[in-house]
Amino acid sequence: MSFSVLARSAIRHQGVTLRSFHTTTPARSAHGDYHHFPFQMPGDKKAGFGFKVVVYMASGFSLPFLASAWQLKKSGGAA
C-alpha cells in the first residue's frame, strides 16, 4: 500500500473528526428550580431528615468495624 493512499484516507477521516458536537439544552424542572437531591427536600423537617441521614451513614460506616470486633471476639483473638 502506498503512502499517498494512506495520506488520502487520513485526510478523509480528519474531516469527520472536526465536526462540532451539538447537544440539546439542559433539561429543567417545571419551575426552573435546581435540586441537589433526586427527591423533594422536606421543607420544615430538615432536622429530622438530617438525623436520619446521619444515622443511616453512621450505621453503614460502623458495620465493618462491628463485624470485625465480633469475629475477633468469637475466635478469642481479642484480649
Side-chain angles (χ1 to χ4, degrees):
M1 196 173 228
S2 69
F3 289 113
S4 64
V5 173
L6 290 174
R8 276 185 271 150
S9 96
I11 291 171
R12 194 176 310 133
H13 290 295
Q14 185 179 15
V16 172
T17 59
L18 294 178
R19 289 188 295 176
S20 61
F21 183 72
H22 298 284
T23 61
T24 59
T25 58
R28 303 262 184 227
S29 64
H31 302 290
D33 297 331
Y34 180 76
H35 301 289
H36 297 284
F37 297 113
F39 51 86
Q40 187 69 21
M41 181 74 172
D44 56 344
K45 301 176 184 175
K46 288 184 181 179
F49 178 73
F51 176 74
K52 290 175 187 176
V53 169
V54 168
V55 168
Y56 176 75
M57 290 188 180
S59 64
F61 182 77
S62 65
L63 186 63
F65 298 103
L66 294 173
S68 63
W70 180 61
Q71 289 292 333
L72 285 172
K73 185 178 178 183
K74 187 171 74 169
S75 68

